[in-house]
Amino acid sequence: MTAFNSFRSSKLVSWKSTGRLQQTLANCIERRGKALHSGKGSTVRLCPGFAGEGRYFDYRSNLIPASIDFVQVSPLCTTLCKNGFRVRTVEHLLSALEAAGVDNCRIEIENLDAEERDAEIPIFDGSAREWVEAVDEVGLKVATTRDGKHCEKMAAHVNEPVYVWRDDSFVSAFPSNVVKISYGISFLQAPAIGSQWFSTPSVDNLFYTRQIALARTFCIYEEIEQMRNVGLIKGGSLENAIVCCTSKGWLNPPLRFNDEPCRHKVLDLIGDLSLFAQFGNQGLPVAHIVAYKGGHALHAGLARQLMGE
């Protein structure tokens, strides 16, 4: 069995064994759908990966690690970029893979335009359900290195409080024996959303599948025109997001949970913090993560803080 010891780390975290071996998919699986922001179709093929190599995207033979090192600031989604090639809206897919324990995975992406340097992951219904079902369809197996060895799965335990903030928004992590998340949002301009808090007792695959993965992305109706004017949500519809009007409330009920918007923020957070993963180890830090009015940039900021940047 192999353990990787050359972690990029800091005094903020200590890497410890989870008592499990790294895993990967038992077989390949493919999904095709429309992207939220570009509105274009793309095909994503999830394939088994070698232990110790983690999750990475393969787009036109360009390999882009699912790592915080390659995150590019972009509005309303998380984007990975390397050598001029970009993969957008990775957060729902990575959230599902992290929660399911798919530690190593090659993610191949194809789209119709052979010259396009940007790709985007399909949005499906705006939740992570499609990806959870895809993983369940093929199942998992213990991953092996290229020379046939197993790797112990490690996790980063937070040693002291860590936080990032902007104005009245923050994302923080406190020492804990298990992964817990408490998330708050505030949309006072839309009373149907208002202020919400959602807390997890702990985050495991069963809890994620039942309580988080089904939560869909959401938006404010009055902001749609502005977003489309700057080239966003070209593929958005009432089929892949829940839309709230400031005066009339939800335009496409029913909600899957009363606090579905807040749960979706937890889904996003898990996907963004999965980018903290190194060498096929756990991305989510073992900590009580507390966030208020966070977003992709702050989520990534916490991962960078934990990395010691």
Side-chain angles (χ1 to χ4, degrees), residues 187-196 244-246 248-250 255 258 261:
F187 289 84
L188 299 183
Q189 75 274 34
I193 302 177
S195 296
Q196 300 179 3
C244 188
C245 176
T246 57
K248 299 179 181 178
W250 294 106
L255 300 188
N258 290 334

Side-chain angles (χ1 to χ4, degrees), residues 99 179 181 198-214 257 263 266 270:
V179 179
I181 299 173
F198 178 73
S199 295
T200 68
S202 63
V203 179
D204 57 30
N205 189 33
L206 181 61
F207 184 88
Y208 179 89
T209 298
R210 293 180 176 178
Q211 304 294 334
I212 298 173
L214 299 176
F257 308 96
R263 293 180 190 233
V266 173
I270 293 170

Side-chain angles (χ1 to χ4, degrees), residues 32-33 38 40-44 59-60 86 108-120:
R32 177 170 178 79
S38 70
K40 299 177 181 179
S42 64
T43 300
V44 176
Y59 180 50
R60 305 205 185 287
R86 299 196 310 165
E108 301 174 356
I109 309 175
E110 296 178 1
N111 56 21
L112 296 177
D113 188 347
E115 302 300 320
E116 182 65 66
R117 297 176 72 88
D118 286 8
E120 187 174 358

Side-chain angles (χ1 to χ4, degrees), residues 1-2 17-24 51 101 103-104 140-144 149-154 280-281:
M1 183 170 64
T2 301
S17 173
T18 64
R20 302 187 298 275
L21 297 177
Q22 290 184 18
Q23 299 182 112
T24 188
D103 308 307
N104 303 278
L140 304 181
K141 66 178 181 181
V142 174
T144 59
K149 297 178 181 178
H150 295 151
C151 288
E152 186 176 23
K153 182 174 180 176
M154 310 290 283
N281 292 293

Side-chain angles (χ1 to χ4, degrees), residues 10 79 139 158 166 185 246 276 279 285 300 307:
S10 68
T79 298
V158 170
R166 184 181 63 247
I185 62 174
T246 57
F276 181 63
F279 308 118
M307 197 74 77

Side-chain angles (χ1 to χ4, degrees), residues 137-194:
E137 187 174 317
V138 296
L140 304 181
K141 66 178 181 181
V142 174
T144 59
T145 62
R146 291 180 182 268
D147 56 358
K149 297 178 181 178
H150 295 151
C151 288
E152 186 176 23
K153 182 174 180 176
M154 310 290 283
H157 290 246
V158 170
N159 295 326
E160 59 186 77
V162 185
Y163 57 90
V164 292
W165 78 96
R166 184 181 63 247
D167 300 326
D168 63 343
S169 305
F170 68 85
V171 183
S172 56
F174 298 90
S176 172
N177 293 325
V178 296
V179 179
K180 298 189 293 184
I181 299 173
S182 298
Y183 211 116
I185 62 174
S186 179
F187 289 84
L188 299 183
Q189 75 274 34
I193 302 177

